[in-house]
Amino acid sequence: MGKVIYWMNTSIDGYIEDPDGGMDFMDPGEDFQQAANDHVRRTAAFLFGRRLYEAMEKPWTRDLGKEGAPAVEREFAQLYKETPRYAFSDTLQTVSEGVTIVRRKDAVSVVTRLKREIDGVLQLGGPELATSLLDLIDEFWVYAFPVIVGGGKPYLPVGEKLRLRLVEHRTFASGIMFRRYVRS
């Protein structure tokens, strides 16, 4: 049975984007990138909202996998391209090879089926998608970068209380803090 993990990188004040919609405040050190590679090796599929899909797809399938990019980034790009990807969107009409479009009305049934059929990690990304699939999320992962942005798009805009239990915590040499939560 698959496990849905909601993973997003944030500022320490809990935002995945700054007030202008930018994510350039996240400066991943090689230690973080290596941890990301280790996680992607264990990922059976990516489940992305449209905006995160668009933010991830071009850099990791075309730009950063090229010669000249650091080895750790080329490795992530290769792992990313080899992993099945699902883009949840009502507006996308075409996607890259290896990507399946899922319409929002089908999101719950598709993720429920994937959890049943795939033995492995289903990595979910995108706060609106995560909110719509909240009951299917097994773990919540936060990589908090050492910066305060003062506003923007929050990690998870659920609008309700959700009790979690911290099961893992780690700090990287680069100052990035990792926290892994499960439902309490």
Side-chain angles (χ1 to χ4, degrees), residues 91-105:
T91 58
L92 286 173
Q93 297 304 314
T94 61
V95 290
S96 303
E97 184 178 336
V99 180
T100 301
I101 296 175
V102 178
R103 300 303 177 202
R104 293 284 179 154
K105 67 179 176 57

Side-chain angles (χ1 to χ4, degrees), residues 1-175:
M1 177 144 191
K3 180 190 304 187
V4 175
I5 294 174
Y6 175 52
W7 167 9
M8 292 296 295
N9 301 335
T10 72
S11 60
I12 63 170
D13 53 345
Y15 296 98
I16 65 162
E17 293 177 358
D18 66 24
D20 299 320
M23 295 185 283
D24 59 348
F25 62 87
M26 297 179 215
D27 184 19
E30 189 168 326
D31 55 352
F32 166 80
Q33 189 64 55
Q34 192 57 57
N37 291 3
D38 293 343
H39 174 70
V40 172
R41 271 189 209 88
R42 298 184 308 271
T43 298
F46 290 108
L47 314 175
F48 291 143
R50 181 194 51 83
R51 289 191 61 212
L52 186 59
Y53 162 74
E54 290 173 340
M56 294 286 290
E57 195 67 13
K58 184 179 180 288
W60 293 113
T61 60
R62 294 183 220 148
D63 300 339
L64 297 172
K66 295 181 179 174
E67 283 299 317
V72 70
E73 289 182 6
R74 287 194 319 272
E75 179 185 21
F76 183 90
Q78 187 61 41
L79 293 165
Y80 178 86
K81 287 186 280 193
E82 293 170 354
T83 305
R85 300 174 304 283
Y86 294 80
F88 292 76
S89 171
D90 289 334
T91 58
L92 286 173
Q93 297 304 314
T94 61
V95 290
S96 303
E97 184 178 336
V99 180
T100 301
I101 296 175
V102 178
R103 300 303 177 202
R104 293 284 179 154
K105 67 179 176 57
D106 301 322
V108 170
S109 63
V110 168
V111 174
T112 300
R113 178 181 54 79
L114 291 172
K115 278 185 80 163
R116 193 175 50 248
E117 294 175 358
I118 294 176
D119 186 24
V121 170
L122 303 169
Q123 182 182 313
L124 173 64
E128 289 85 13
L129 179 61
T131 299
S132 73
L133 297 171
L134 190 60
D135 292 339
L136 297 173
I137 299 173
D138 299 295
E139 295 187 7
F140 299 82
W141 290 24
V142 181
Y143 282 89
F145 285 70
V147 62
I148 294 173
V149 298
K153 183 177 282 193
Y155 168 80
L156 190 62
V158 294
E160 62 185 70
K161 189 180 292 186
L162 183 62
R163 298 236 180 247
L164 304 173
R165 181 171 48 90
L166 181 67
V167 293
E168 185 179 352
H169 178 269
R170 179 174 59 198
T171 302
F172 293 88
S174 59

